[in-house]
Amino acid sequence: KRDLMREEAGFEADAERWVVDERRIELRRMVKETWYQIYLVDRSLETVAGTARLLDDLIRLAESMYGVGKAGQQEIFQAQLERSKMEEMRIGLEQKRRTLVATLNTLAYRPPETAIPQIPKTSLPPFSFSAAELESLALAHRPALKSLKAKIDKAEAGAQLAEKELYPDFTVSLEYMQREPAMETPGDDMYGAQLSFNLPIQSDRRHAKIAEMQASKRMAVQELAVLQNQIRLAINDGLAQLERSRKLTRLYDKGILLQAGGAIES
């Protein structure tokens, strides 16, 4: 029984250790995600600033053309309205950046007001993993899966221990007492031995414990299957979003941005 108790405690410790490792990975993911959100806001602010400069030029152009009677007043108002929209967007982006900076500092255990300079442009590394490769990596290394497997092993050891409780526990003890001569007694030392055992007659409680451990094992097995399915879903959903972003990037580079540039020149 002691061996099973030691084994059960070891599996429980392993499960908690993998939970800590899972949390570390989750923290790294949150830090990286927040960093790239700040990166996105910085690029958006650059775009808004460039658009605002173009609109300022258009406003001056519309005012000049209106002054010589070659444009209507509504064109000035339209350009000014678009310029105000850019200012509104800039204010919203700056507020969002302050929130993201505070979030990143909190994740990094720094004061929330710690300044983070503008993140320069960087090239994203190529990504060529397939869904099968990502799934294989996740199933082999995901700490949450290892934690659930340790819980399954713990439940198995607990069930075996509960079955052992149907048998009695034996206790053997030896005693020795040293006595000094006193009054008329010679002071003979005393020795004793004792053998005791319990009678596990309350079998219902012990059978209930066995059922509890078996139910815990089934629950852990089902949680493991659910998490594996969630991992597969997350991988396929992430790859689908990545492919969508790639297609949109090509669309903007080859189509929308060129067309917008032509419209501005016109």
Side-chain angles (χ1 to χ4, degrees):
K1 290 182 181 179
R2 288 198 180 96
D3 290 340
L4 287 172
M5 292 172 64
R6 185 183 302 109
E7 186 177 354
E8 183 182 18
F11 286 132
E12 183 176 6
D14 288 341
E16 295 302 324
R17 178 170 58 84
W18 290 121
V19 168
V20 174
D21 289 346
E22 176 77 10
R23 185 56 181 165
R24 288 195 179 101
I25 291 178
E26 178 68 14
L27 181 59
R28 286 197 293 269
R29 182 198 64 80
M30 293 169 65
V31 168
K32 291 181 179 182
E33 186 175 278
T34 306
W35 189 90
Y36 275 107
Q37 287 176 348
I38 296 175
Y39 178 84
L40 172 61
V41 170
D42 286 345
R43 301 287 78 74
S44 299
L45 285 170
E46 290 178 354
T47 303
V48 168
T51 304
R53 288 192 295 269
L54 290 174
L55 288 171
D56 290 338
D57 293 340
L58 288 176
I59 291 173
R60 286 191 292 269
L61 176 62
E63 290 173 345
S64 299
M65 296 182 67
Y66 175 72
V68 296
K70 292 185 178 182
Q73 194 176 24
Q74 70 274 10
E75 295 180 4
I76 300 177
F77 293 151
Q78 182 65 29
Q80 290 174 343
L81 175 61
E82 294 299 327
R83 180 63 176 82
S84 298
K85 290 181 179 180
M86 288 298 104
E87 183 64 18
E88 178 187 16
M89 188 177 296
R90 182 189 65 80
I91 294 172
L93 287 171
E94 289 179 346
Q95 184 275 328
K96 183 177 181 181
R97 192 183 195 279
R98 286 194 296 270
T99 301
L100 290 171
V101 167
T103 301
L104 183 59
N105 286 328
T106 302
L107 292 172
Y109 202 65
R110 294 194 300 248
E113 63 275 8
T114 302
I116 295 179
Q118 184 184 44
I119 301 175
K121 288 184 178 180
T122 181
S123 58
L124 296 178
F127 186 86
S128 59
F129 287 99
S130 66
E133 291 172 332
L134 292 174
E135 181 179 333
S136 177
L137 286 171
L139 296 181
H141 301 289
R142 182 75 181 268
L145 294 174
K146 295 180 179 180
S147 176
L148 287 174
K149 291 177 181 177
K151 289 182 179 180
I152 294 174
D153 294 335
K154 172 184 177 293
E156 290 180 350
Q160 295 177 15
L161 179 61
E163 292 176 355
K164 292 286 186 181
E165 292 295 336
L166 295 174
Y167 300 93
D169 293 328
F170 290 89
T171 303
V172 178
S173 60
L174 299 175
E175 298 179 357
Y176 166 73
M177 180 182 294
Q178 184 181 23
R179 296 197 304 178
E180 298 293 337
M183 300 180 68
E184 297 181 357
T185 59
D188 296 332
D189 294 344
M190 296 178 60
Y191 300 89
Q194 182 179 355
L195 173 64
S196 62
F197 60 91
N198 66 328
L199 294 177
I201 59 176
Q202 296 178 344
S203 60
D204 291 342
R205 179 175 62 84
R206 290 171 171 80
H207 284 296
K209 184 65 175 179
I210 295 174
E212 179 186 355
M213 291 295 101
Q214 291 174 345
S216 297
K217 178 183 176 181
R218 290 193 298 269
M219 183 176 67
V221 170
Q222 293 303 319
E223 288 179 353
L224 179 63
V226 169
L227 181 56
Q228 289 173 339
N229 286 332
Q230 290 176 346
I231 289 173
R232 296 186 183 98
L233 173 62
I235 288 174
N236 285 276
D237 181 62
L239 290 177
Q241 292 185 35
L242 177 62
E243 182 62 24
R244 172 181 174 275
S245 297
R246 284 174 172 170
K247 291 180 179 180
L248 286 176
T249 300
R250 288 193 294 268
L251 176 62
Y252 274 97
D253 283 340
K254 305 300 182 182
I256 295 178
L257 290 180
L258 294 176
Q259 294 165 4
I264 293 233
E265 292 297 328
S266 175

